[in-house]
Amino acid sequence: LAGMVLSYRDLIRYMAKESDNTAFNISRRVLGQEKIDNLIKAVGMKNTAVIGEDQKTTPADIGLFFQRLYQGSLVSQKSRDELLDYLTDTLYEEHLAAGVPDGTEVSHKYGRELHVVNDAGIVFAEDPYVAVILSKGVVESEAHRALPAISKIIYENRFVEN
């Protein structure tokens, strides 16, 4: 909405709860690409870029981000808890969260584009774990069935060792 005033907290809440790309684009414009790139490097994400059409990442990088967030090594404990709260109560609970038993808290980030459906985050099971499911070149309706099924398989097999 033109003329709407938002705080940084509002932008983060919109990005987390609603997967709002407009909030991300505003944040990117305010922060600048250099600060974002420096943060990506500081986290240790080696194969991630958020520049225009060259946006890319890997499951390992996303997993590392959520692991570091969970461990509290990215932001203060208060900010971490607030961010995890935003990521827990989202508009998109039918993918990663749908594959775990009711009552299991999941802090996650959902993303969708044409022929891409992704969901990744922290599953607060008895032993919390990070799950990352990224897809590309998919039919969205099939992904909407597959992601919860994959999440369920991960949940049910999380203690199986190779």
Side-chain angles (χ1 to χ4, degrees), residues 26 63 83 99 106 142 146:
I26 292 168
L83 180 55
V106 180
E142 291 175 3

Side-chain angles (χ1 to χ4, degrees), residues 94-151:
E94 60 273 359
H95 298 96
L96 188 60
V100 301
D102 288 343
T104 305
E105 195 169 280
V106 180
S107 294
H108 64 107
K109 176 65 177 77
Y110 166 81
R112 180 182 175 279
E113 293 181 18
L114 184 62
H115 303 299
V116 172
V117 179
N118 301 323
D119 205 352
I122 305 161
V123 178
F124 290 95
E126 187 174 323
D127 281 329
Y129 63 92
V130 171
V132 180
I133 306 171
L134 305 181
S135 71
K136 184 176 180 182
V138 298
V139 174
E140 284 83 353
S141 62
E142 291 175 3
H144 295 314
R145 288 189 303 273
L147 266 66
I150 294 167
S151 178

Side-chain angles (χ1 to χ4, degrees), residues 54-86:
D54 296 328
Q55 293 183 26
K56 66 176 184 171
T57 194
T58 64
D61 277 5
I62 297 298
L64 180 63
F65 170 81
F66 277 106
Q67 178 185 12
R68 297 243 166 107
L69 179 64
Y70 176 73
Q71 293 168 336
S73 61
L74 296 180
V75 293
S76 71
Q77 187 74 30
K78 181 182 176 191
S79 294
R80 178 200 90 125
D81 291 347
E82 187 173 1
L83 180 55
L84 289 176
D85 183 52
Y86 294 156

Side-chain angles (χ1 to χ4, degrees), residues 3 11 44 60:
L11 293 171

Side-chain angles (χ1 to χ4, degrees), residues 34 36 45 48 66 100 104 106 156:
E34 185 176 346
I36 293 171
M45 300 166 76
T48 297
F66 277 106
V100 301
T104 305
V106 180
E156 291 175 346

